[in-house]
Amino acid sequence: VELYSKEETLMKRKKLIGQSCRLFFSEDPVKIIRAQGQYLYDEKGRRYLDCISNVHHVGHSHPAVVQAATAQMELLNTNARFLHDNLIKYCERLSETLPEKLNTFYFVNSGSEANDLALRLARQYTQHEDVIVLDHAYHGHLTSLIDISPYKFRKLEGQKDWVHVAPLPDTYRGLYREDHEDAAQAYADEVKKIIDDAHKRSRKVRHSVLVNPGQTAFTCRWEWQ
């Protein structure tokens, strides 16, 4: 249901939403009314193949997901501080898909929260704060994550001395390209140089974090030195 014309919606957004929350295609923003499967639809019914959204792993409005979410909300919607069988059942099913040692879970509600928790766990374990991130990376809107996001901190307060930036392993536009004899090893060597240089400056790089800039999921790989 469309409440306002596209022009009215844009005018009200400019008035009510912070200007730092940018629109896609700002010169001529797209007004999306609904979505189905892999497609988005605007107010005129025009269909767009969705290559931007990062939350619909099985497509928009998947009937099985809608049915399951509706049934759960009709029954219970609370937090994990109460006992509930489904929480444990989900943990068990999830653990069956992972290596044996990955058997303890923290449930969070966003990629930012997940990444912040990953940093806190690593720092608690290592008692050090240095971290290696990829160039151009974005990890979330929390202060802790802006500090490790080159995409953000270069426009704000700059790079902290405990943040180390590795080149993005891009064989199309990156430092080492398709014609390199061993681009993977070359990019790995760049990370090793960063670690060696940090140690020479008495920094303690105990973990490296490679984080997906998605809003609802993250992956990270710990490399203990």
Side-chain angles (χ1 to χ4, degrees), residues 144-208:
S144 62
L145 303 177
I146 290 176
D147 283 346
I148 65 168
S149 298
Y151 172 77
K152 287 288 186 180
F153 67 59
R154 285 178 178 147
K155 301 175 184 178
L156 298 171
E157 298 177 356
Q159 184 174 341
K160 301 292 193 297
D161 59 1
W162 49 269
V163 177
H164 312 277
V165 180
L168 182 68
D170 179 1
T171 57
Y172 184 63
R173 296 186 179 92
L175 186 62
Y176 305 108
R177 304 187 179 186
E178 290 182 351
D179 58 353
H180 192 279
E181 59 181 4
D182 192 348
Q185 185 60 54
Y187 281 112
D189 289 342
E190 290 293 326
V191 175
K192 186 177 185 304
K193 290 177 186 177
I194 290 173
I195 294 173
D196 291 343
D197 180 65
H199 288 174
K200 289 177 182 178
R201 293 186 288 114
S202 299
R203 307 297 311 186
K204 297 293 184 181
V205 179
R206 295 297 184 185
H207 57 280
S208 64

Side-chain angles (χ1 to χ4, degrees), residues 26-40:
S26 58
E27 293 183 358
D28 185 18
V30 179
K31 184 175 183 180
I32 298 300
I33 299 299
R34 66 183 183 90
Q36 183 70 46
Q38 69 271 40
Y39 296 110
L40 302 172

Side-chain angles (χ1 to χ4, degrees), residues 16-212:
L16 299 169
I17 304 296
Q19 293 299 302
S20 60
C21 299
R22 297 180 181 179
L23 283 165
F24 289 125
F25 316 111
S26 58
E27 293 183 358
D28 185 18
V30 179
K31 184 175 183 180
I32 298 300
I33 299 299
R34 66 183 183 90
Q36 183 70 46
Q38 69 271 40
Y39 296 110
L40 302 172
Y41 297 84
D42 68 14
E43 79 281 8
K44 296 181 179 179
R46 186 182 293 112
R47 187 177 71 175
Y48 302 84
L49 178 62
D50 186 3
C51 297
I52 294 177
S53 302
N54 57 2
V55 298
H56 55 277
H57 303 294
V58 292
H60 292 285
S61 306
H62 193 291
V65 175
V66 172
Q67 182 179 6
T70 301
Q72 183 60 51
M73 290 180 183
E74 288 177 343
L75 179 66
L76 176 67
N77 182 17
T78 184
N79 61 60
R81 291 180 180 268
F82 297 105
L83 284 175
H84 198 283
D85 292 344
N86 284 352
L87 181 66
I88 304 305
K89 182 179 179 181
Y90 180 59
C91 289
E92 290 176 337
R93 291 178 60 188
L94 189 59
S95 67
E96 291 172 357
T97 69
L98 300 170
E100 184 177 353
K101 291 185 178 181
L102 295 181
N103 57 13
T104 302
F105 303 95
Y106 296 90
F107 293 108
V108 294
N109 65 8
S110 69
S112 292
E113 189 175 345
N115 290 346
D116 181 73
L117 176 60
L119 281 177
R120 287 190 287 129
L121 289 172
R123 287 169 177 167
Q124 179 67 27
Y125 184 88
T126 66
Q127 295 299 300
H128 297 291
E129 65 177 353
D130 285 60
V131 61
I132 298 174
V133 296
L134 293 178
D135 201 2
H136 310 296
Y138 163 70
H139 303 309
H141 278 302
L142 299 180
T143 299
S144 62
L145 303 177
I146 290 176
D147 283 346
I148 65 168
S149 298
Y151 172 77
K152 287 288 186 180
F153 67 59
R154 285 178 178 147
K155 301 175 184 178
L156 298 171
E157 298 177 356
Q159 184 174 341
K160 301 292 193 297
D161 59 1
W162 49 269
V163 177
H164 312 277
V165 180
L168 182 68
D170 179 1
T171 57
Y172 184 63
R173 296 186 179 92
L175 186 62
Y176 305 108
R177 304 187 179 186
E178 290 182 351
D179 58 353
H180 192 279
E181 59 181 4
D182 192 348
Q185 185 60 54
Y187 281 112
D189 289 342
E190 290 293 326
V191 175
K192 186 177 185 304
K193 290 177 186 177
I194 290 173
I195 294 173
D196 291 343
D197 180 65
H199 288 174
K200 289 177 182 178
R201 293 186 288 114
S202 299
R203 307 297 311 186
K204 297 293 184 181
V205 179
R206 295 297 184 185
H207 57 280
S208 64
V209 182
L210 307 181
V211 189
N212 178 16

